[in-house]
């Protein structure tokens, strides 16, 4: 298997996205606080998760990274890659419909 870092230029996870939005305190009995929205990933620090377009790009990048790594490890047409592709397309379609309805695109 090829190492993930050799295949993916900008590794990003949903955990990174949530971490950019919310800071979880060390103590479990205290409430989390809001973060500044910037990703802790080299090359993506200018993206702000509090901005809708940046958030959608980040979500799409998580899916693309998953698809790219699956292809790189010769997974080919697997059920996991197919499900990821379907979910990615549905999210992008919903976004297009929302933008068309609210922004006139």
């Amino acid at each position: 298997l090829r190492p993930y870092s050799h295949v993916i230029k900008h590794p990003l996870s949903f955990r990174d996205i949530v971490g950019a939005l919310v800071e979880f305190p060390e103590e479990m009995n205290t409430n989390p606080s809001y973060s500044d929205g910037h990703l802790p990933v080299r090359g993506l620090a200018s993206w702000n998760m509090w901005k809708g377009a940046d958030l959608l790009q980040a979500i799409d990048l998580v899916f693309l990274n998953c698809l790219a790594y699956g292809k790189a490890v010769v997974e080919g047409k697997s059920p996991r890659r197919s499900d990821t592709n379907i979910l990615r397309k549905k999210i992008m379609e919903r976004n297009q419909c929302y933008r068309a309805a609210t922004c006139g695109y």
Side-chain angles (χ1 to χ4, degrees):
L1 278 177
R2 293 172 61 189
Y4 191 78
S5 60
H6 289 148
V7 177
I8 304 302
K9 183 177 180 180
H10 297 292
L12 183 67
S13 68
F14 288 117
R15 183 179 191 166
D16 295 326
I17 294 170
V18 172
L21 295 168
V22 179
E23 286 183 22
F24 293 96
E26 295 291 325
E27 297 178 29
M28 295 299 286
N29 61 349
T30 56
N31 291 330
S33 60
Y34 296 112
S35 294
D36 66 0
H38 293 282
L39 292 168
V41 178
R42 197 178 102 235
L44 303 178
S46 65
W47 287 5
N48 186 331
M49 298 302 94
W50 292 111
K51 294 181 180 177
D54 288 352
L55 176 62
L56 285 172
Q57 273 189 285
I59 291 169
D60 193 42
L61 182 58
V62 172
F63 291 133
L64 287 173
N65 285 348
C66 179
L67 292 168
Y69 189 69
K71 186 171 185 173
V73 296
V74 194
E75 200 172 90
K77 289 190 175 190
S78 70
R80 185 175 65 151
R81 287 190 75 229
S82 295
D83 290 347
T84 301
N85 241 331
I86 290 167
L87 181 57
R88 180 177 177 251
K89 286 178 184 176
K90 286 193 180 294
I91 289 172
M92 292 304 129
E93 285 172 6
R94 293 285 180 173
N95 180 46
Q96 293 276 337
C97 290
Y98 174 77
R99 288 176 52 165
T102 59
C103 302
Y105 289 107

